[in-house]
Amino acid sequence: MYSKILLAVDLNDTSGAARIAEYGGKLARMCGAEVHVVSVVPAMGFALVGSAFGGDFAGTMMEETRTNMHKWIDEVLGIEAHVHVDQGTVYDKIIRTAEDIGAEAIVVGAHRPELRDYLVGPNAARVVRHAKQSVLVVR
């Protein structure tokens, strides 16, 4: 069915990440698919904001995220996976990563919708609307 699956994980949402591991892992095992996991570090925005953190804060965040992703894969996902860490707009980076690796399916988590989500649209909704791949949204 799918030979490559991308799991989009927010490590700050431990329960959501666990659900993505559960459903994404089952789908990958069922298909015998290669698994890729992406986590996106939000961009710092204006140079003034980024400079307030000093040094190579963005680089440090990326490296810490990569380390935490490997730990999450070992402890929660429990299957072999390729790690991708990027910085920028979350939904855009998820879609670009899926395109770059040739994924046929993306697994994303979604929070319970709030009023602002209907007006602005959460990252999961944007991935669903713009991705060329099949998208599994896990609640």
Side-chain angles (χ1 to χ4, degrees), residues 63-83:
E63 198 51 45
E64 284 181 16
T65 301
R66 185 176 310 285
T67 299
N68 290 335
M69 287 289 287
H70 284 287
K71 188 184 302 184
W72 180 84
I73 288 167
D74 291 341
E75 295 173 2
V76 180
L77 184 59
I79 57 177
E80 186 178 325
H82 302 272
V83 173

Side-chain angles (χ1 to χ4, degrees), residues 121-132:
N123 287 309
R126 289 182 176 162
V127 171
V128 169
R129 281 195 307 267
H130 299 288
K132 296 176 185 172

Side-chain angles (χ1 to χ4, degrees), residues 112-124:
R112 295 271 180 223
E114 299 173 9
L115 179 59
R116 67 181 171 81
D117 293 333
Y118 290 109
L119 300 174
V120 177
N123 287 309

